[in-house]
Amino acid sequence: PISVMLLMFLISCEARGEGYNNSYFHSCEYPDRQTELTSLACNVYFEGRGESRAGMNSIAFVTINRAEHERFPQSITDVVYQPYAFSWTSDGKSDRVYDLKAWTNSLHIASYVLGISDLDYKYVDITDGSLYYHATSIKPDWACSKNKVLTIDNHVFYHTDLKKHETC
C-alpha cells in the first residue's frame, strides 16, 4: 500500500540524514528557470505566505501592475527579480519552497490572476492598481512620497498616480 511506501521513503531519508523537513517542492533561486506563472507564485509565496487570500491576491496584483507600468520591467519574471524590488530576492536566505500548502495556494492565486484558470470566478484587483507595498511592521522612507490605498493583513499598499492624502 501507499502508506507503507511513504513510510519506507521517510525512513530511507532519515537514514541518509536528509530528513523529511529538508525536502523542497520548488526552487525560486534561479530567475532564468522560472516561467511567468512560477515567478509570480514565488513572489506571492515569499511575500505573502501566511496572509489571507485577499493579501496574497493583492501581492500578485502589485506584481502584475508593475509589469504593465512603464516605470518597471515589462515581464513578471523581470519585475520579481529586479534587484531589491522585493525583500526575499536579496535577503540572503534560501529561496526554496518548503511549505506545500502555501506553495499550492500561491500557484492557485497566480494562475487565477494571470487568467490561466478558467473556473467560474476571477479575482479583482482590490489594490486599485497599486505599485508598491510594505509590511506594517516597517515604515520605509519612500512611503512618504506614495499614496496609501489600503491595508490588508500585514501589508500597506500604495499608488503613485493618485492625489496624496496624507503627510509624513
Side-chain angles (χ1 to χ4, degrees):
I2 293 175
S3 59
V4 172
M5 291 172 46
L6 179 60
L7 181 60
M8 294 303 292
F9 170 75
L10 293 174
I11 291 171
S12 71
C13 285
E14 289 298 326
R16 290 192 309 259
E18 297 172 13
Y20 175 72
N21 290 333
N22 289 333
S23 62
Y24 61 95
F25 302 100
H26 183 78
S27 174
C28 298
E29 296 170 312
Y30 306 103
D32 59 327
R33 296 183 187 171
Q34 306 303 319
T35 64
E36 298 289 282
L37 174 65
T38 58
S39 295
L40 184 57
C42 287
N43 206 40
V44 170
Y45 177 86
F46 284 106
E47 292 286 312
R49 184 175 69 241
E51 300 291 317
S52 68
R53 195 136 323 225
M56 294 172 78
N57 179 41
S58 296
I59 288 166
F61 269 108
V62 166
T63 309
I64 290 173
N65 292 342
R66 286 184 181 190
E68 293 175 350
H69 196 278
E70 62 195 26
R71 287 186 234 157
F72 293 92
Q74 300 303 294
S75 80
I76 291 170
T77 300
D78 290 343
V79 165
V80 169
Y81 291 97
Q82 184 179 15
Y84 305 103
F86 299 102
S87 59
W88 70 271
T89 63
S90 57
D91 63 5
K93 297 178 183 175
S94 172
D95 293 334
R96 292 181 176 175
V97 173
Y98 290 98
D99 183 339
L100 181 59
K101 183 176 179 182
W103 178 242
T104 302
N105 287 337
S106 299
L107 281 169
H108 172 83
I109 286 170
S111 68
Y112 277 99
V113 170
L114 289 173
I116 294 170
S117 178
D118 61 354
L119 292 181
D120 292 338
Y121 61 93
K122 299 290 182 201
Y123 287 110
V124 176
D125 183 4
I126 61 174
T127 72
D128 193 31
S130 291
L131 297 173
Y132 304 93
Y133 64 87
H134 65 80
T136 56
S137 61
I138 63 170
K139 180 80 173 191
D141 293 338
W142 57 260
C144 291
S145 65
K146 309 296 184 235
N147 301 291
K148 182 178 173 181
V149 176
L150 76 158
T151 301
I152 302 173
D153 300 328
N154 296 311
H155 288 95
V156 182
F157 294 85
Y158 296 87
H159 197 289
T160 58
D161 298 331
L162 299 174
K163 184 178 178 187
K164 188 152 178 58
H165 293 285
E166 62 182 67
T167 59
C168 293

